[in-house]
Amino acid sequence: MCEEAGKWQHLRLLLFSVSISLQLGSGFAADPSSSKDGTKSDSHSNSGASTGVIVLYICLGIAAVISLAIFLLKLWKKKKREEQHARLLKLFEEDDELEVELGLRD
């Protein structure tokens, strides 16, 4: 159940990041220099396409960072689990040696 809640939390974070990047992208689309004189230049017509590309790059970058963070978290959890398993095995090995030393087992 906790894992499912974590997935929803990651999805909410991703959607929040995408919405923020879209808000920033729409803010970059407004060209204050052309709005002052009231005329549109040829370069302004291409700014919509370049803004879309910028938003796409931002979304891809955010998705890559989130994917990397999830991968590193899973890798860390796996390493932690292996360390705990090794510690548990070592604990049982020490108990066996102790039993042999005490003559409880041959």
Side-chain angles (χ1 to χ4, degrees):
M1 184 169 173
C2 184
E3 186 176 320
E4 185 177 328
K7 288 180 183 178
W8 285 110
Q9 186 178 8
H10 290 298
L11 182 62
R12 272 193 249 140
L13 179 65
L14 180 63
L15 289 174
F16 177 72
S17 302
V18 169
S19 66
I20 294 296
S21 65
L22 290 174
Q23 290 289 333
L24 289 174
S26 65
F28 290 134
D31 189 11
S33 63
S34 65
S35 63
K36 286 181 182 178
D37 59 2
T39 59
K40 292 185 178 180
S41 64
D42 291 335
S43 66
H44 183 66
S45 62
N46 291 334
S47 69
S50 64
T51 302
V53 172
I54 290 172
V55 170
L56 178 67
Y57 286 152
I58 290 172
C59 290
L60 289 175
I62 289 171
V65 168
I66 290 173
S67 298
L68 181 64
I70 291 171
F71 172 75
L72 291 175
L73 179 67
K74 288 186 178 198
L75 189 68
W76 177 76
K77 283 184 177 181
K78 181 180 177 184
K79 182 181 175 187
K80 204 68 156 160
R81 192 170 44 246
E82 288 174 355
E83 288 175 359
Q84 289 177 348
H85 184 70
R87 201 177 304 147
L88 181 67
L89 289 177
K90 185 178 178 183
L91 178 67
F92 281 118
E93 288 174 4
E94 290 175 359
D95 285 347
D96 291 340
E97 292 173 5
L98 186 60
E99 289 176 357
V100 171
E101 289 177 10
L102 293 175
L104 299 174
R105 209 178 79 179
D106 290 330

